[in-house]
């Protein structure tokens, strides 16, 4: 049964089924991002001390940890290609079950790694290997999770419903931050570095099993099942990464431009802030993690609200506001951090995540409305994940290097401003798709494919 049924020209929503789909998508996304953000936070406070060789100073150690963190981003496009291909061919559900198990196993094994003092260079080698597996799995996770919802949602409410998997990201981050906060505040520093941090990684096994079970209870959307039937009978023009790059290059490039500032801003707000406050301003790690956790809760609340607004006023104005406001964040955020006032820092990070939500909430709907069903998983995964290599993966590395070499936050603020300008250009080039029909998109795509049977590009 579909989550939407058409009667007399009016679309009725089966909310119970749609809620079940959203819950399944969110459950897995929480797991994936718990694991992924756990690594990000541990990079700033643990790995540079126990799994990597000693460096000349604190900043060099953090940069080294961030570089191992960046390996996951490099792997994400590969995951998007591999699992996008699988997801477009076999289904969103099966692909998501594979990715959740992969990232869970990799995270649990991270918690079992011997230290650098115990096995030397093999510690960072194993860490980077497991990080690669994490990134590979996450590269396939996002596209499937958001499309599972977007393809079930009614046209007029797609941004709202598809924003819920996005809201699951801060939930996973809250859990990761909270676990590390509990460990850092209840254990002495020696105990935390010796074994306390490992508990957070081992707990991943519990949430993985819960998420996997929930995902066994859902099915792919009828629109995907119809597209799959056409592929199986060889009536469709094709699917996968090469097909989407050939026929929808504009959609891929626009999606990458939309992603650029959003991805950079997120990792500056939630990852580099920890470095700036902890290492730069010498604030207490437990207090910083507490502030970050509260800010993530606010982020979770705001994302669906922004999704609702994007359904009412359009994708472009909301996203444009996020790109413009986000570009200004660094110029006033870092001076606010300099006050060392907890409530000022909390408010600054919350506002940063609100600006981020203006871009982040509508992404699944926007990207789903760019590509036809037969290549949608590949299209959204490539647009989303390739950008992360040059955006989110490098943002905290650059910012930490600039802080070390100049002692100033100005280069980072300028970096974010330039990113905001790039994304603003992409938003201006974006076609407004509020209320677009995915069925109509498939029909138009079929007509283009039939008109260009020899592989001529359909510019869309």
């Amino acid at each position: 049964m579909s989550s939407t049924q058409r009667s007399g020209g009016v679309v009725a929503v089966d909310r119970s089924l749609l809620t079940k789909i959203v819950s399944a998508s969110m459950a897995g996304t929480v797991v994936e991002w718990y694991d992924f953000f756990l690594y990000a936070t541990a990079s700033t406070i643990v790995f540079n001390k126990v799994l990597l060789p000693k460096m000349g100073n604190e900043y060099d150690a953090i940069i080294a940890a961030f570089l191992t963190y960046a390996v996951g981003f490099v792997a994400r496009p590969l995951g998007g290609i591999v699992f996008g291909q699988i997801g477009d061919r076999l289904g969103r559900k099966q692909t998501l079950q594979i990715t959740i198990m992969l990232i869970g196993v990799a995270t649990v094994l991270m918690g079992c790694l011997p230290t650098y003092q115990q096995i030397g260079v093999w510690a960072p080698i194993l860490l980077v290997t497991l990080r690669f597996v994490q990134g590979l799995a996450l590269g396939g996770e996002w596209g499937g999770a958001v499309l599972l919802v977007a393809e079930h949602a009614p046209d007029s409410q797609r941004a709202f419903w598809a924003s819920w998997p996005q809201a699951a990201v801060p939930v996973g981050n809250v859990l990761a931050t909270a676990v590390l906060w509990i460990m850092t505040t209840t254990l002495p520093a020696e105990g935390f570095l010796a074994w306390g941090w490992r508990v957070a990684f081992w707990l991943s096994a519990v949430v993985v099993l819960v998420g996997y079970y929930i995902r066994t209870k859902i099915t792919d959307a009828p629109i995907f099942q119809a597209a799959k039937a056409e592929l199986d009978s060889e009536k469709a023009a094709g699917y996968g990464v090469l097909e989407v790059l050939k026929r929808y290059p504009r959609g891929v490039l626009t999606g990458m431009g939309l992603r650029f500032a959003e991805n950079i801003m997120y990792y500056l707000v939630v990852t580099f802030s920890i470095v700036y406050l902890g290492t730069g301003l010498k604030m207490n790690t437990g207090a910083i993690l507490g502030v970050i956790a509260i800010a993530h809760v606010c982020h979770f609340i705001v994302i669906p609200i922004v999704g609702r607004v994007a359904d009412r006023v359009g994708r472009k104005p909301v996203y444009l506001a996020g790109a413009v406001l986000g570009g200004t964040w660094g110029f006033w955020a870092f001076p606010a951090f300099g006050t060392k006032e907890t409530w000022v820092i909390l408010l600054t990070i919350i506002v940063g995540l609100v600006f981020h939500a203006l871009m982040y909430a509508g992404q699944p709907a926007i990207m789903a409305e760019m590509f036809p069903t037969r290549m949608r998983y590949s299209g959204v995964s490539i647009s989303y994940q390739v950008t992360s290599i040059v955006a989110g993966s490098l943002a905290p590395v650059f910012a930490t290097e600039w802080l070390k070499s100049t002692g100033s936050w100005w280069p980072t603020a300028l970096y974010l401003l330039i990113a905001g300008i790039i994304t603003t250009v992409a938003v201006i080039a974006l076609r407004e798709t509020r209320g677009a029909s995915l069925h109509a998109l498939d029909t138009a795509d079929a007509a283009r494919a039939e008109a260009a049977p020899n592989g001529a590009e359909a510019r869309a």
Side-chain angles (χ1 to χ4, degrees):
M1 182 174 60
S2 172
S3 59
T4 58
Q5 296 177 337
R6 194 174 292 274
S7 177
V10 178
V11 176
V13 181
D14 183 345
R15 289 187 176 273
S16 62
L17 177 59
L18 192 49
T19 301
K20 182 179 178 181
I21 296 295
V22 169
S23 299
S25 179
M26 289 184 69
T29 304
V30 167
V31 174
E32 303 273 4
W33 284 94
Y34 170 86
D35 294 350
F36 206 76
F37 191 74
L38 186 62
Y39 190 105
T41 306
S43 293
T44 66
I45 61 177
V46 177
F47 292 160
N48 56 309
K49 298 175 182 177
V50 300
L51 294 179
L52 299 174
K54 290 184 178 181
M55 301 291 178
N57 59 64
E58 286 184 290
Y59 288 120
D60 285 339
I62 292 172
I63 290 171
F66 276 149
L67 288 174
T68 69
Y69 179 60
V71 169
F73 287 87
V74 174
R76 282 166 64 172
L78 179 59
I81 292 171
V82 172
F83 291 111
Q85 199 88 354
I86 295 172
D88 279 332
R89 185 65 184 179
L90 300 181
R92 285 58 165 134
K93 173 184 174 179
Q94 292 183 37
T95 307
L96 290 174
Q97 288 175 314
I98 296 171
T99 59
I100 195 174
M101 292 304 296
L102 268 180
I103 198 169
V105 169
T107 305
V108 171
L109 289 177
M110 283 180 184
C112 301
L113 287 178
T115 66
Y116 186 85
Q117 288 71 29
Q118 292 173 323
I119 62 171
V121 71
W122 281 105
I125 289 175
L126 291 173
L127 179 65
V128 169
T129 301
L130 293 173
R131 177 61 178 167
F132 186 87
V133 175
Q134 264 195 342
L136 191 73
L138 190 63
E141 163 67 21
W142 184 83
V146 298
L147 291 184
L148 196 63
V149 178
E151 291 177 342
H152 278 89
D155 298 338
S156 62
Q157 301 173 28
R158 186 172 296 114
F160 169 71
W161 286 106
S163 70
W164 282 101
Q166 303 288 74
V169 172
V171 174
N173 293 349
V174 166
L175 291 177
T177 305
V179 171
L180 287 175
W181 177 80
I182 291 172
M183 292 301 171
T184 57
T185 54
T186 58
L187 293 174
E190 296 79 10
F192 175 74
L193 291 177
W195 62 270
W197 66 272
R198 299 179 183 275
V199 174
F201 285 80
W202 294 335
L203 286 175
S204 175
V206 177
V207 287
V208 163
L209 291 176
V210 172
Y212 183 88
Y213 174 77
I214 293 175
R215 283 187 170 175
T216 63
K217 303 300 180 181
I218 49 92
T219 58
D220 287 315
I223 191 172
F224 169 76
Q225 294 172 358
K228 183 178 183 299
E230 287 195 23
L231 284 172
D232 291 342
S233 61
E234 299 183 351
K235 294 178 181 179
Y239 68 99
V241 175
L242 294 180
E243 185 76 2
V244 77
L245 290 175
K246 179 174 66 177
R247 297 191 177 275
Y248 291 86
R250 174 176 173 170
V252 172
L253 290 175
T254 302
M256 293 173 68
L258 294 175
R259 173 81 164 139
F260 193 66
E262 172 270 309
N263 196 224
I264 287 173
M265 182 169 190
Y266 187 73
Y267 285 98
L268 291 180
V269 174
V270 304
T271 303
F272 177 67
S273 290
I274 298 175
V275 177
Y276 188 83
L277 295 169
T279 305
L281 299 180
K282 307 300 181 184
M283 293 185 65
N284 177 266
T285 299
I288 297 170
L289 292 178
V291 165
I292 295 291
I294 295 172
H296 282 317
V297 173
C298 296
H299 198 208
F300 166 76
I301 295 171
V302 169
I303 288 174
I305 296 173
V306 175
R308 180 76 76 184
V309 174
D311 279 327
R312 293 181 177 177
V313 306
R315 282 60 164 135
K316 290 186 66 169
V318 175
Y319 214 107
L320 185 62
V324 172
L325 293 172
T328 70
W329 182 81
F331 292 103
W332 56 267
F334 292 110
F337 288 164
T339 66
K340 296 188 179 182
E341 292 286 345
T342 302
W343 71 271
V344 174
I345 294 170
L346 174 61
L347 183 60
T348 300
I349 294 176
I350 288 174
V351 172
L353 289 179
V354 170
F355 291 169
H356 174 264
L358 293 172
M359 296 181 279
Y360 196 56
Q363 271 184 7
I366 293 171
M367 292 189 182
E369 291 157 356
M370 285 180 175
F371 306 103
T373 305
R374 66 189 175 98
M375 60 183 78
R376 184 171 293 125
Y377 204 139
S378 296
V380 301
S381 294
I382 291 299
S383 300
Y384 190 87
Q385 303 298 358
V386 169
T387 314
S388 66
I389 296 178
V390 295
S393 69
L394 296 177
V397 176
F398 287 159
T400 304
E401 176 60 34
W402 291 328
L403 182 60
K404 183 193 78 169
S405 60
T406 70
S408 173
W409 50 264
W410 269 94
T412 299
L414 288 172
Y415 173 54
L416 182 57
L417 176 62
I418 293 170
I421 292 171
I422 292 172
T423 293
T424 296
V425 173
V427 176
I428 293 172
L430 178 69
R431 295 171 180 171
E432 179 59 66
T433 56
R434 177 171 65 96
S437 167
L438 300 185
H439 291 280
L441 183 60
D442 285 352
T443 300
D445 172 70
R448 291 190 188 99
E450 185 175 350
N454 295 321
E457 292 183 357
R459 303 290 179 183

